[in-house]
Amino acid sequence: MAKKRPQTGAKRPQLTDGEIPVVGAREPCPCGSGRRYKACHGRAAAHAVTELVQRPFEGLPGECDWVALRELVPAATAALTLREGLPEGVPSVTLATVLPMAWPALRRDDGSVLIGLQNDTASGDISRDLADTLLRALEAEPGSPVQGRRAPAEGPRLQDLLAPEAPFEPVVHEGFEFWVPDAQNATPEVAASLERANAAAIPTVRLESVDAAYWCRTPEKNHLRWVMPHPEERLLDALARLHAAGRSRLGEGTRLVGSFRAHGLTVPVWDLPGEMGAQDVEKPAAEFAERLAEALAAEAPLTGDERRARGGLTNRQVTLS
């Protein structure tokens, strides 16, 4: 019988976490542990990519409007200001709710960049995915779309790329003509996508008297959807106090019907009469904001009626994200 070779006691060199490359899930982990990558350092890498960030837009100017444009507003744009300024050949960067053919981003012929906000994302951090798309769009060839991909776990987030002092000012549009400079000469594919998108768009208006409140018209009735920055439990208490006191309405025929939960923020929703337009709700919304501020400052425990009102509001919450 052949003699077995003596086993040496030498250990494989160990790599630090920062030096470990990405390999196939079933391959031996490069760290030298002897385990497969997916059961060793691959597990941490996968967790970093898929871990859900509850408030992906926290820290950005206009966080509430970011949430509204992501979940509630059909057609809107907002100019973005980069922390390091615009690269050469890029005259502007614009956020858009939706782009033609659901492209994640588009580099126009003139070099300007459009970023789509309402696309599906590959990781649990929308901010990181959008930042990755933005960086690739800045380097894309003019006249070409940017495809989606899984962003690197260690990549930057929007909070790293956008100027923190720049205002975020959404512009709501009736349709999606902003997709192309000359809609009359759009390609057949883009024209068809534009027609479908315009047909499905719900008329929406951003109020001027308060922040991040959006009036919209649906076939059944009108609504006001108001994204608020306050902690959820505190806000629900305040809404319950007002609701129990009969002070949660926005005028005759209106009703606070519940709320959405989206990206870590709460979005109270009111039903409005069909004849109540956006201008009609401006003053009532501003007056409600004053009542809400008083209710948010209250520290007394909820009464029995207020607790029942809170329970009703909680039961009518719908989570969007």
Side-chain angles (χ1 to χ4, degrees):
M1 294 178 63
K3 293 183 179 180
K4 293 182 178 179
R5 292 182 181 179
Q7 298 293 321
T8 65
K11 295 182 178 179
R12 297 178 62 183
Q14 299 292 311
L15 302 177
T16 64
D17 287 351
E19 298 173 332
I20 297 169
V22 176
V23 298
R26 292 181 172 275
E27 295 182 39
C29 187
C31 75
S33 66
R35 291 182 292 173
R36 291 178 177 177
Y37 179 69
K38 69 175 183 179
C40 193
H41 280 85
R43 179 181 300 171
H47 179 72
V49 171
T50 59
E51 184 178 9
L52 179 63
V53 176
Q54 297 292 337
R55 287 180 64 179
F57 307 117
E58 185 177 15
L60 290 174
E63 178 189 6
C64 293
D65 282 307
W66 278 88
V67 172
L69 267 58
R70 167 75 183 185
E71 298 294 341
L72 305 174
V73 182
T77 56
L80 299 181
T81 303
L82 303 187
R83 188 186 290 264
E84 302 298 330
L86 292 170
E88 184 177 356
V90 180
S92 64
V93 176
T94 303
L95 183 75
T97 48
V98 180
L99 293 180
M101 274 75 78
W103 288 328
L106 171 66
R107 181 89 184 270
R108 282 177 164 165
D109 291 335
D110 65 355
S112 61
V113 168
L114 288 175
I115 303 294
L117 180 58
Q118 294 184 9
N119 295 320
D120 293 334
T121 54
S123 80
D125 187 353
I126 298 171
S127 178
R128 196 179 308 280
D129 287 331
L130 289 172
D132 178 68
T133 299
L134 172 57
L135 290 176
R136 291 187 292 124
L138 294 173
E139 298 179 352
E141 290 294 324
S144 61
V146 175
Q147 303 301 327
R149 74 169 189 181
R150 182 184 292 275
E154 70 281 0
R157 308 178 72 238
L158 286 175
Q159 289 81 347
D160 303 315
L161 301 183
L162 301 183
E165 72 282 356
F168 185 73
E169 299 176 344
V171 177
V172 179
H173 304 275
E174 293 183 2
F176 295 87
E177 281 72 20
F178 63 85
W179 280 353
V180 287
D182 184 5
Q184 298 298 323
N185 295 320
T187 65
E189 293 82 2
V190 171
S193 184
L194 179 61
E195 183 177 356
R196 290 193 300 270
N198 282 344
I202 296 173
T204 301
V205 177
R206 182 175 185 264
L207 298 193
E208 297 179 358
S209 59
V210 294
D211 293 332
Y214 291 81
W215 170 95
C216 68
R217 172 180 287 124
T218 64
E220 296 79 18
K221 60 186 69 176
N222 298 344
H223 304 280
L224 183 70
R225 301 162 176 173
W226 191 342
V227 187
M228 296 186 173
H230 316 292
E232 179 179 352
E233 296 302 314
R234 182 180 164 204
L235 176 58
L236 288 175
D237 281 352
L239 292 174
R241 295 180 194 277
L242 295 175
H243 199 62
R247 304 177 68 203
S248 64
R249 296 178 180 271
L250 298 176
E252 186 68 27
T254 69
R255 186 167 67 98
L256 175 63
V257 293
S259 63
F260 296 132
R261 186 186 288 118
H263 305 292
L265 298 182
T266 303
V267 188
V269 178
W270 284 263
D271 279 352
L272 311 175
E275 66 275 9
M276 191 173 193
Q279 288 298 322
D280 301 323
V281 80
E282 290 278 10
K283 183 178 178 181
E287 293 171 347
F288 178 84
E290 296 179 358
R291 299 197 298 273
L292 180 63
E294 296 175 2
L296 286 167
E299 297 182 356
L302 296 182
T303 65
D305 288 342
E306 291 169 347
R307 287 197 301 273
R308 283 187 288 273
R310 193 187 194 284
L313 292 173
T314 303
N315 290 337
R316 295 192 297 274
Q317 270 192 318
V318 177
T319 300
L320 299 180
S321 61

